[in-house]
Amino acid sequence: MKQLDPKFSAITAFDQIMQAALEAGSSDVHVEPFETGLHIRFRVDGQLIPAFQTKPEHKDSIVARIKILSNLDIAEKRRPQDGRIRYKTQAKEIDLRVSVIPVYFGEKVVIRILDPSGRHLDFASLGFPDHHIKTIQESLSASNGLILVTGPTGSGKSTTLYTALQYLNKPDRNILTIEDPVEYHIAGINQSAANEEIGYTFAHALRSFLRQDPNIIMVGEIRDLETAEIAIRASLTGHLVLSTLHTNDAPATLSRLLDMGVENYLLISTLRLIVSQRLVRILCPACKKKAENPSPLAEHFLSLNQSFLPERKSWQISEPVGCESCRHTGYKSRTVVTQLLPITESVRNLMIKNGNPSEFGTYLDSIGEHNLFVAGLNAIVSGRTTIEEVVREAM
């Protein structure tokens, strides 16, 4: 880790940290106090990497500088605090979301970097294959129903929802969102932030939204039965509703909703599409090289699943090298691996008879919509990522 500028001031130190974070393409900056000083790490392409270290006597002043910019109480060091910074660089302004919590050696700060200039995305740029883009856009063209994006925290669900909202954003549509918090502002869309301290929950917001004449509603996350039922009711009454859920794959989403207490007949009537996804790092195009002999781990899994993959002679398996462009990691940026469950008549029939997840998995295999791990293996044989990434994120 580098030491910050020896001519130390909290103002220049914070600017140095943010400039380096932006140059690295970081999504988050972690400012962590230890006995030896502040340790500062950047999250780049999902991985935390060490960046800077300060002297012990500089800990409090840097944290105080961040809290002042965030309009937080610098005297309060016993409770968590949240704030925002509108940070100006030479080229643009970016939003920073700040979270501060008390820890043993002081206060830990995490800064989420929200760069609006990077939000004009489409499904292809996220890594969705053409046939998935077609299915998603067909579902988004519906006037009502429920579309869910699922996966663990950090799997890119919010980015996919924002991309869908940008696709849907037209002057003749009233689009409302309830988020916790609002990460990116989209011109032409009415975005609202949940605030549980005053009782403005997802469920409360949804009830109010239905009196606002919406065409499309986005709910940041379905966390409980009440939110699920109101979202479903909205989709039944002529609204297109988009939301997220934490599940492992597309078939497990149905089980999760039923376990939550949602009636099966309501899911049959309203669900249109479930998108399950993960994020894997992409091999750096500037330095990756062809793998002459795939690793034993890669060969094992590719051989086991060869029937789900293109012909072996077309494989373009590559491996990381490392260069200045990728900060010597061998990877640059990330892509989604996805599994889609379109709610067709066949799926509804399985739902009617309360089919278990394995039956839905068998159905998906029959239509060539295999699991997330197989989607990851396809990314390997196309030369975009590695077996280590797929095993860690999609297995």
Side-chain angles (χ1 to χ4, degrees), residues 187-203:
I189 293 179
N190 299 285
Q191 297 170 264
S192 185
N195 187 340
E196 295 198 5
E197 290 183 5
I198 62 171
Y200 189 54
T201 62
F202 284 160

Side-chain angles (χ1 to χ4, degrees), residues 276-347:
S276 183
Q277 65 180 64
R278 298 289 189 279
L279 287 175
V280 296
R281 290 186 295 171
I282 302 172
L283 285 163
C284 175
C287 64
K288 71 176 183 180
K289 69 175 185 179
K290 183 178 179 181
E292 298 298 334
N293 296 299
S295 69
L297 184 66
E299 189 61 52
H300 170 72
F301 284 117
L302 291 170
S303 298
L304 279 179
N305 295 276
Q306 193 163 341
S307 60
F308 302 137
L309 303 173
E311 291 185 13
R312 185 177 281 262
K313 63 183 180 182
S314 69
W315 291 2
Q316 300 174 16
I317 300 173
S318 300
E319 59 188 16
V321 177
C323 64
E324 290 291 333
S325 177
C326 62
R327 299 173 63 90
H328 300 283
T329 64
Y331 299 90
K332 191 169 184 179
S333 190
R334 289 188 290 176
T335 188
V336 292
V337 291
T338 53
Q339 179 192 45
L340 267 58
L341 177 57
I343 310 302
T344 62
E345 198 59 39
S346 298
V347 172

Side-chain angles (χ1 to χ4, degrees), residues 63-79:
V63 172
R65 172 64 179 167
I66 296 169
K67 291 173 75 173
I68 289 168
L69 291 173
S70 309
N71 293 315
L72 301 179
D73 183 355
I74 61 171
E76 177 57 76
K77 298 184 178 182
R78 301 167 300 169
R79 296 178 180 175

Side-chain angles (χ1 to χ4, degrees), residues 12-29:
T12 57
F14 178 71
D15 288 338
Q16 187 180 351
I17 291 166
M18 290 311 305
Q19 182 179 350
L22 293 171
E23 288 175 355
S26 307
S27 61
D28 301 87
V29 177

